[in-house]
Amino acid sequence: AGGWSPLRSDRYQWLEVYLGGRTQITAIATQGRYGSSDWLTAYLLMYSDTGHNWKQYRQEDSIGAFPGNSNADSVVQYKLQQPVIARYLRLIPLDWNPSGRIGLRLETYGCPYTSDVAGFDGSSSLLYRLSPGLRQTSREIISLKFKTLRNSGILLHAEGQGQHSLTLELERGKLLLLLRQGRSWSSETQRLVSLGSLLDDQHWHHVAVEKLSTHLNLTVDKNREQVQIPAQLSHWDQLSVGAVQVRGSQKPFISKRNFHGCLENLLYNNLHLIDLAKHNDHQVTVMGNVTFSCAEPVSVAVTFTGPQSFLQLPGAIASSSAGVSVRLQFRTWNKAGLLLTFDLPQQAGVVWLYLSEARLRLQIHKAGRALLELSAGSGLNDGQWHSLELSSRRGRLTITVDREEGGTAHASLSFPVTTGSYLFFGGCPAEDGGKACRNPFNIFQGCMRLLTLDNQPVDLIMVQQRLLGNYSQLQIDMCGIIDRCSPSHCEHGGSCSQSWTVFHCNCSDSGYSGATCHSSVYQQSCEAYKHKGNTSGLYYIDVDGSGPIKPQLIYCNMTEEKTWMVIQHNNTQLTRVRPSAVGNQHSAHFDYSSEEEQLSAIISQSEHCEQELSYHCRKSRLLNTPGVCVPEGSPFSWWLGGPGPGRLQTYWGGAIPGSQQCACGLEDNCLDPQHYCNCDADRMEWANDSGLLTHKESLPVRSLLLGDIQRPGSEAAYRVGPLRCHGDKNFWNAAFFDKETSYLHFPTFHGELSADISFLFKTTASSGVFLENLGIRDFIRIELSSSTEVVFSFDVGNGPLEVRVESGVPLNDNRWHRVRAERNVKEASLRLDELPAATQEAPADGHFHLQLNSQLFIGGTASRQKGFRGCIRSLQLNGVTLDLEERARITPGVRPGCPGHCSSYGSLCQNQGQCVERDHGFYCDCGLSAYTGAFCHRELSASFKPGTSVSYTFKEPYELSRNSSDLPSSIYSDLTLRGENISLSFRTSQSPALLLYVSSYYREYLALLINKHDKLELRYKLDNSREAEVLRSRVRNLANGQLHSVTIRRLADTISVQIDQNAREDFNLTSDGEFNAIKSLVLGRVHESDDLDPDLARLSSLGFTGCLSVVHFNSISPLKAALLYPDTSPVVITGPLAQSTCGSSAPANPHAAENTHHLSDQSGSVGSGQPLVNAIRTDSALIGGVIAVVIFVIVSVLAVTARFLYRRKETYQNQEVKGAKPEDSPEFPFNSQADSQTVPSENPKEYFI
């Protein structure tokens, strides 16, 4: 015949091979039928120990089909990744040569397999007592294989010392490792780990328990977990197999939890325990009826795989005038699906038994109307076997789920329930057209077994042989259920759920997103948050992106040019040290708000880190430093710093490691030149040694020990500040590719199951490959395919896939654009800038391992074609940043770094701030702005009292330049003007009130005021021989205590006034429009009023009570000069002036932490960029409570203080930060200042009297 060829060529044929005995099969080879056009192009491989209960062999846990032949002669061989042990093989054709028929020659490769087997019936067990010599083994290994039809049972129980024990127990088809403390079964139990799933399938499963001291590795099939166990279990006394054996008892402990099934090759440290039991070895005691063979109960299941699956059985078998009875068991992951339907011939109706919302429901319909509805059970989509029974007898209908453990529903009927010609299970035939079978519900996907009709079991093998009933797309004599959540592909704590064909990851509260919770929703540094336009606050920082390190809540201080990450610990206050009767030393340990791996990653990726270390002393020596005439001695004090517990350090803040010096010793300015620390002078006066620790290898400070504190008269205090780091080495790491043939290469990218790639690029080219990595057949590539499109392409063995994102604007605009690509077992996605992500689903049953072996090419390809010209920055693969700059320094055609950041980030500089380039980034120059802050976004406001006056004197530039060359240009101006640009904001309840006054040397002036009618009034006197011209706005109620903004522009004799969002008002002057020889600008009270009109002089004498903010006059900002540069700018301040937040558009709350502001109109998901006051997780209540108490205390103190210090109510309060009260020693000269996370403020308080 030249090979096997069945009479009919369809997918219901198979070739079965009996191997004679259990055989370990390692490879399989196929060939077409000799001298023909008959060969298979795809097939399934099944195996079994009994000829029943087949199991499909899968590659990579998802690939079921094997590719076959392309002709009749060539041999295609596959080496099995995991050898198969079986007595029977079955090959099922899927596709064949369309010009021929099914044809096959088959060869298998392997060797005989022998084993020791034991059978347990639920009342039997083995007990192995360890000999004393074996108890000293530090490494213990137990391995076995088991098979069972029961979903629960105890496999192994190990007892240690101190009544501690470990139990390996099967529960709901999963294997649990349980820790018990106590001998009784009701003792406290702790679940250490759960592994495996669907282990009750009557197939062999491998289990290994490896104990190394207090670590234990548990392996179930191909899955492994490591756990820690108590020291009392480092050695085991006895092992019970199949049940828990009570110590000292000679009878097995009978329990429903005992194991019922077979064990194979049970080994303890290479001792064959089953073989010892066979030969009645004294070390192994047999309890109950243990057989040394494996009983194989035959249970034929059927799998409903897809939309066309159904099983049709004749109704005559089940039908009788007395009623109907149907029983079966099913298992599924789906919440819905039709289980059974049949017609009611006598009633012209139909019965539907189906799943809905994981509950069992029954409906009887007639003429489109429901005659009866019942429901029972819940949670029936858990993958477990559930029994079902439908019974109708003597006018009573009953449905039962899981018998005594489930639920039952009853109904009385006025009509008999009997079946029609057929019963349909799982679905309906497509060709039937709804004549004999109607299914308005979802099809059933799952397994059924133990079908009985009127108490007669259904022979499914006869169905398979087409001798009974009919079927389509069924897998008979096997249950093909797969647990897609074991092992779970959901990362970072995401929870996995599934249906029959797909799984889903719930990433809520994990801090990660994507189909498998792979990508972090948070930024990796404060620098990254800043360049999304955020300001100071608490943010979640994920230092390694999609890596294993958890996100952490960190304060980002963006008030300075540098962006600081501030990591607090448990004691940042100045702490007094008092003598103790307990010991001669004082020690302190510092616990940080971040975990160890988080700290290490922050320090590593930061450009600079520092931590303050200070010691205040009176007759208390610090390091016992040697001097010119002082011999070297052991230090009295030291500290531990660096990774882990830290290393011993004997230098102090401001000095260098290993020097055993303080800052003054390094600078050669100590109080006593004989010593290298001020405190080592051992004087009775207070002194201190303070400075910053800046060597990252020694940070953070872990603990501190102070030794010279017990002598009479010794007093001391110390402070260890928070860890502060700035600069993100990863964020600005860039390379410039100036040729299409240039590239950088790195080691092979390993992203077998999950791969995420993110980077920024800018270019003027219209195409080019950003990244490429090749394998034998697999590859991954990201490229700019056109000036408006980015393509992410890859192949994991299922053929090339592409994900494309089209941009509405050109991408070759020489501005930074962000690309984020992710590929996992579920889908691939590509995101460009803030455009919606494009996704491509992965095949449900396909290859999913990405196997690469070439170098990773950046900016080009291995063929040196289609290279990228431009800049690539901040390239990260699975959370790891590639150092492009380091590699670019040694690579021709590529330059490290990339200038030109202002083209992309310049818009972040607000309010006339100017973007200034840096090698690594940019900064905003606020010199021409009335604002300050990282982006020139923070308003500068001050609260004014009646006696407050800020007078700015205009000077010629040459006079100012002699001593103020470094001042910003916003604090000087020209002297003769033909126009002004004035802007300011104010808040007051005073009416009338003078807001701003500008005088000249020729008795000319400009005055801005609120008149007695609460309207804005602008007075210009540009000719001293004429009366002032008065311009009045029509806008009312400007003295209502609300914040108002005013903009005034004059060009010669034309003036425009804009108040808030009201319409612009235009005016004209009658004078020549030239403001000559301006002298000074005054805010608040005007002290020199000789040149003023009488009514204006009277008004100016009252001063101004309220708030002024962001005052800008042409190119100068007088209020900014007074608040930030009072000593170096031409301003004179009289009366109380306090910087305040009163100019904020939000209602002023002087005690609100900075991190309460949000990005406007961005409610989005977590990680969208706003500070996390309302996104703090479990610690939010604690933090909120502490803040609430602090606010209440401060407000109370301010209220009491205001009552005693002021006789009348003031409209505005100065915002002050008061130091903590010093300790009770009158001579202790230092305040304790807690450096909390909200202390670094964008509004520092300064007072100028």
Side-chain angles (χ1 to χ4, degrees), residues 817-835:
H817 298 279
R818 184 175 179 83
V819 175
R820 285 163 288 180
E822 181 182 346
R823 179 260 152 196
N824 52 59
V825 299
K826 192 172 176 63
E827 69 177 23
S829 65
L830 177 66
R831 184 183 293 274
L832 174 64
D833 293 332
E834 299 305 319
L835 296 173

Side-chain angles (χ1 to χ4, degrees), residues 174-187:
K174 298 177 182 290
L175 203 57
L176 310 183
L177 183 64
L178 306 174
L179 171 65
R180 283 190 174 85
Q181 298 184 34
R183 297 298 184 193
S184 67
W185 193 247
S186 59
S187 302

Side-chain angles (χ1 to χ4, degrees), residues 979-1050:
E980 299 87 38
N981 285 319
I982 306 170
S983 63
L984 59 86
S985 297
F986 67 90
R987 188 198 299 265
T988 187
S989 299
Q990 179 183 345
S991 171
L994 181 63
L995 298 176
L996 177 146
Y997 173 73
V998 182
S999 64
S1000 83
Y1001 290 99
Y1002 296 115
R1003 301 177 66 86
E1004 298 174 356
Y1005 68 81
L1006 178 162
L1008 182 65
L1009 56 94
I1010 299 173
N1011 62 24
K1012 61 183 179 180
H1013 303 294
D1014 290 1
K1015 295 183 178 180
L1016 189 74
E1017 194 171 288
L1018 180 63
R1019 298 185 184 184
Y1020 265 103
K1021 186 175 183 179
L1022 301 183
D1023 187 342
N1024 58 16
S1025 64
R1026 301 172 58 182
E1027 293 293 322
E1029 298 186 58
V1030 180
L1031 313 176
R1032 295 185 178 91
S1033 170
R1034 295 186 296 272
V1035 179
R1036 299 175 176 271
N1037 300 322
L1038 296 181
N1040 59 359
Q1042 300 298 314
L1043 186 68
H1044 299 283
S1045 297
V1046 179
T1047 302
I1048 300 169
R1049 290 185 173 87
R1050 179 180 76 89

